């Protein structure tokens, strides 16, 4: 592998005569971690917490897949099945997918990428993590107390009137963790505006930073709407105030409007940071400046803006006005345009690049394939007539998982493999990294592609029993889930192994050009001895290499 030298006007951190103390060496006690205000340590705290929630959510998925091996209900009770998929949805959406990339990699990398020593509000950053943990404790209580059976969408009047589980406590958990998201988004916005190094103009920022800026705007503007809806739901359930229940003078469709006004932009909260990660991986491992930098940057902003206008496409069959449905259908097609711009630019960047097929690039290429397929099937759901056929079926489950799991989790793991040497100072096994990426890609497709077929044939989602002729597809899905589970467990093993036995990582093992690669691995406590002055453009790879490709 060719390792690029950094530009002549920046020091090579590996050759520094006196190695500064790293953020890991700043303290080894539990207190030094739990009271830290260092953005890098807080990122590690988030990583540990989020990994735990990921495997908790995976247990819910495993219970669902085991139950669906046979057409009849024979492993769980009907309520138990409902509680298993609700646990899976609530934990995965609010405690893994939404916070994962921003709180782990955004926290760790944004100050390093823009040439700052920390985020704008370090204490607020630590408070965000504690609020996240508090929300997690509420969720743990719900789990121990018996769970909730409404699904992650908490549709009314099921959630306000008919579900006997701990719905209010589950809503409280989501309400609390929402404040963590708002504080993180606020911190990123202020940091990106005020702490950029001299010379780090907006159009010298990495696309990763642009993506997190757009995500943060959504977090700050959309999350309060969900918080308000959750308060109304709790008030109706606890005090009998008529908001959503028709018997009390309420309107159940109002919940769907409020919920999806947040939750559809939340899809972009989950996927925009992933797009930022994939842009970094594609340009790093193809040794090329990202094709159409300005278009990719503005596409992030366009997705954030249009994403606020498409919530009604979840209600085509719920009784909303036909004219409203036509407008939401058009806007849903429109939001595909900036997403397509990104896919086109990733492909153009890879074209004639000097591809280094390491694990991070394999994850990025897996993301692109799964995102494109999931996005194209999203156009089917945005079409009024076709959505009537596919609504509420396993087809929707497959579409959602292709974007959120196939896409977002692949990007998370790609980021983990790319920046693991920077975060820990250790290199991992490239062989096992590639094996894991391939297992996840093929295991994911074997798990969820059959759900497209089942949904198109009429299999409703969230049903625990089904006609016997569907069993072969369900068994195939469960077999794929086993492969997928092995693919997810492998990185946990070899990355932990690398912490103790992996070779030491140099400052810049991939030959990348970002500021974060110009400090030692792992970085010093305060990132930079002197704030750098940026005089070069983003992704400043030597032009000669592009021409040679």
């Amino acid at each position: 592998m060719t390792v690029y030298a950094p530009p002549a006007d920046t020091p090579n951190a590996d050759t520094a005569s006196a190695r500064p103390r790293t953020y890991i060496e700043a303290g080894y006690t539990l207190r030094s971690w739990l009271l830290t205000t260092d953005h890098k340590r807080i990122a590690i705290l988030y990583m540990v917490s989020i990994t735990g929630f990921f495997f908790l959510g995976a247990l819910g998925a495993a219970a669902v897949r085991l139950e669906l091996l046979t057409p009849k209900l024979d492993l769980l009770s009907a309520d138990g099945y409902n509680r298993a998929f609700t646990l899976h949805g609530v934990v995965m959406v609010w405690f893994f997918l939404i916070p994962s990339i921003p709180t782990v990699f955004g926290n760790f990398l944004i100050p390093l990428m823009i040439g700052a020593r920390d985020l704008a509000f370090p204490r607020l950053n630590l408070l965000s993590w504690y609020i996240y943990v508090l929300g997690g404790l509420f969720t743990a209580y719900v789990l121990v107390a018996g769970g909730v059976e409404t699904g992650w969408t908490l549709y009314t009047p099921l959630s306000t009137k008919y579900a006997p589980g701990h719905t209010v406590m589950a809503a409280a958990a989501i309400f609390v963790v929402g404040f963590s998201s708002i504080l993180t988004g606020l911190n990123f916005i202020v940091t990106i505006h005020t702490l950029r190094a001299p010379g780090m103009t907006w159009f010298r920022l990495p696309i990763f930073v642009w993506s997190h800026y757009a995500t943060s705007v959504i977090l700050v503007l959309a999350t309060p709407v969900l918080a308000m809806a959750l308060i109304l739901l709790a008030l109706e359930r606890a005090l009998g105030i008529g908001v959503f229940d028709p018997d009390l003078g309420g309107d159940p469709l109002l919940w769907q409007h409020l919920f999806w006004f947040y939750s559809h932009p939340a899809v972009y909260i989950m996927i925009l940071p992933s797009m930022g990660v994939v842009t970094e991986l594609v340009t790093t491992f193809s040794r090329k400046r990202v094709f159409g930098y300005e278009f990719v940057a503005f596409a992030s902003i366009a997705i954030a803006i249009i994403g606020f206008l498409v919530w009604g496409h979840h209600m085509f069959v719920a009784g909303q006005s036909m004219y409203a449905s036509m407008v939401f259908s058009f806007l849903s097609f429109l939001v595909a345009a900036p997403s397509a711009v990104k896919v086109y630019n990733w492909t153009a960047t890879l074209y004639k690049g000097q591809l280094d097929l390491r694990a991070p690039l394999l994850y990025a290429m897996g993301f692109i394939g799964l995102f494109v397929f999931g996005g194209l099937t999203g156009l089917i759901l945005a079409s009024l007539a076709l959505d009537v056929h596919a609504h509420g079926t396993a087809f929707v489950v497959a579409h959602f998982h292709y974007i959120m799991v196939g896409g977002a989790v692949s990007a998370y793991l790609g980021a983990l493999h790319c920046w693991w040497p920077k975060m820990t100072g250790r290199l991992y096994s490239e062989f096992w990294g590639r094996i894991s990426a391939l297992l996840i890609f093929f295991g994911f497709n074997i798990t969820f592609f059959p759900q497209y077929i089942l949904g198109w044939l009429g299999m409703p989602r969230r049903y625990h029993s089904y006609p016997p002729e569907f069993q072969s597809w369900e068994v195939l899905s469960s077999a794929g889930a086993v492969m997928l589970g092995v693919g997810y467990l492998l990185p946990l093993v070899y990355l932990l192994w690398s912490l103790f036995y992996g070779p030491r990582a140099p400052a810049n093992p991939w030959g990348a050009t970002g500021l974060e690669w110009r400090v030692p691995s792992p970085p010093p406590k305060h990132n930079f001895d002197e704030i750098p002055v940026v005089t070069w453009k983003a992704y400043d790879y030597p032009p000669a290499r592009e021409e040679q490709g």
Side-chain angles (χ1 to χ4, degrees):
M1 181 191 70
T2 303
V3 177
Y4 289 81
D9 54 351
T10 59
N12 187 332
D14 278 346
T15 59
S17 57
R19 188 174 67 87
R21 193 171 62 161
T22 70
Y23 78 97
I24 297 174
E25 296 166 342
Y28 295 100
T29 64
L30 185 61
R31 176 188 172 87
S32 72
W33 280 90
L34 295 181
L35 298 181
T36 184
T37 55
D38 185 332
H39 66 101
K40 301 178 289 298
R41 284 191 165 215
I42 294 171
I44 300 299
L45 291 175
Y46 268 116
M47 180 188 287
V48 173
S49 311
I50 280 170
T51 301
F53 280 110
F54 176 81
F55 284 104
L56 177 62
L59 287 178
V64 169
R65 289 310 329 160
L66 283 172
E67 178 55 57
L68 291 175
L69 277 172
T70 61
K72 295 186 180 301
L73 189 68
D74 43 20
L75 176 65
L76 302 171
S77 65
D79 278 347
Y81 180 81
N82 292 344
R83 291 176 183 189
F85 71 66
T86 302
L87 165 74
H88 170 67
V90 168
V91 170
M92 283 301 197
V93 170
W94 278 294
F95 292 90
F96 177 75
L97 287 171
I98 287 178
S100 59
I101 293 178
T103 59
V104 176
F105 299 105
N107 249 323
F108 197 97
L109 295 171
I110 285 178
L112 287 164
M113 284 181 166
I114 67 173
R117 291 201 166 104
D118 208 319
L119 291 174
F121 306 115
R123 291 186 179 86
L124 200 66
N125 196 21
L126 180 62
L127 177 63
S128 300
W129 179 72
Y130 275 106
I131 293 174
Y132 173 83
V133 172
L134 180 63
L137 292 176
F138 274 74
T139 306
Y141 171 80
V142 171
L143 179 64
V144 172
V148 62
E149 55 280 274
T150 61
W152 75 279
T153 49
L154 298 168
Y155 275 174
T156 58
L158 173 63
S159 59
T160 55
K161 191 172 183 178
Y162 299 108
H166 298 269
T167 307
V168 173
M169 190 56 70
I174 299 166
F175 179 83
V176 169
V177 80
F179 283 95
S180 173
S181 297
I182 293 171
L183 296 181
T184 298
L186 185 66
N187 218 341
F188 285 174
I189 291 171
V190 176
T191 300
I192 294 167
H193 271 279
T194 62
L195 295 185
R196 300 195 310 276
M200 180 60 84
T201 62
W202 282 90
F203 290 103
R204 286 176 177 169
L205 287 172
I207 294 297
F208 180 90
V209 179
W210 274 94
S211 298
H212 277 74
Y213 184 82
T215 304
S216 300
V217 171
I218 302 174
L219 282 170
V220 171
L221 295 181
T223 309
V225 177
L226 177 68
M228 180 183 66
L230 291 169
I231 291 173
L232 293 174
L233 186 151
L235 288 175
E236 178 164 310
R237 188 165 175 117
L239 305 176
I241 298 173
V243 180
F244 307 113
D245 187 348
D247 291 342
L248 300 173
D251 182 356
L253 200 57
L254 175 60
W255 168 262
Q256 294 195 37
H257 278 289
L258 294 174
F259 179 82
W260 287 115
F261 184 82
Y262 162 80
S263 293
H264 199 84
V267 170
Y268 301 110
I269 291 172
M270 297 180 237
I271 206 66
L272 270 171
S274 306
M275 292 172 162
V277 166
V278 170
T279 304
E280 299 300 322
L281 302 186
V282 165
T283 188
T284 296
F285 293 93
S286 63
R287 312 292 189 238
K288 282 177 64 181
R289 175 177 166 82
V290 62
F291 181 85
Y293 171 96
E294 291 79 5
F295 286 96
V296 180
F298 283 122
S300 300
I301 305 300
I303 290 172
I305 294 172
I306 302 173
F308 272 106
L309 307 175
V310 300
W311 79 92
H313 78 217
H314 295 274
M315 292 177 281
F316 287 162
V317 298
Q320 74 179 359
S321 156
M322 179 186 69
Y323 298 106
S325 294
M326 291 171 63
V327 172
F328 282 122
S329 175
F330 169 76
L331 291 170
S332 299
F333 277 94
L334 187 63
V335 79
S339 302
V341 167
K342 285 180 175 287
V343 173
Y344 172 77
N345 286 358
W346 294 327
T347 309
T349 305
L350 289 169
Y351 179 64
K352 289 191 176 180
Q354 296 184 341
L355 301 188
D356 188 357
L357 290 174
R358 290 177 178 270
L361 185 58
L362 291 182
Y363 277 111
M365 295 172 79
F367 170 95
I368 295 171
L370 298 174
F371 176 76
V372 168
F373 196 79
L376 289 174
T377 55
L379 296 179
I380 292 175
L381 297 173
S383 305
L384 291 175
L386 292 174
D387 183 70
V388 171
H389 177 71
H391 185 86
T393 69
F395 188 94
V396 178
V397 175
H399 160 68
F400 182 84
H401 281 79
Y402 261 77
I403 300 292
M404 294 297 99
V405 180
V409 178
S410 292
Y412 179 84
L413 290 172
L416 188 62
H417 285 76
C418 180
W419 284 290
W420 181 263
K422 179 57 60 184
M423 300 171 86
T424 65
R426 297 286 181 172
L427 295 171
Y428 54 83
S429 164
E430 186 59 38
F431 171 78
W432 286 113
R434 289 172 177 167
I435 293 293
S436 171
L438 294 174
L439 277 175
I440 289 173
F441 181 79
F442 290 108
F444 178 86
N445 279 290
I446 295 172
T447 303
F448 288 102
F449 188 79
Q451 297 300 315
Y452 277 123
I453 298 170
L454 285 168
W456 204 250
L457 293 175
M459 174 70 192
R461 65 174 178 168
R462 298 179 175 174
Y463 273 38
H464 54 71
S465 58
Y466 53 86
E469 57 265 32
F470 288 169
Q471 186 174 13
S472 56
W473 293 112
E474 293 288 5
V475 170
L476 185 60
S477 270
S478 296
V482 173
M483 183 186 294
L484 190 59
V486 173
Y488 286 149
L489 279 171
L490 269 180
L492 189 66
V493 175
Y494 64 75
L495 290 178
L496 287 178
W497 187 91
S498 77
L499 281 180
F500 301 98
Y501 306 108
R504 291 195 178 278
N508 191 357
W510 316 130
T513 61
L515 273 179
E516 78 272 25
W517 299 108
R518 301 176 187 192
V519 297
S521 301
K525 181 179 179 182
H526 296 296
N527 298 347
F528 303 96
D529 291 335
E530 296 182 4
I531 296 298
V533 177
V534 180
T535 58
W536 58 93
K537 62 184 180 180
Y539 312 113
D540 192 23
Y541 292 99
R545 287 199 168 273
E546 295 183 31
E547 294 167 8
Q548 288 170 8

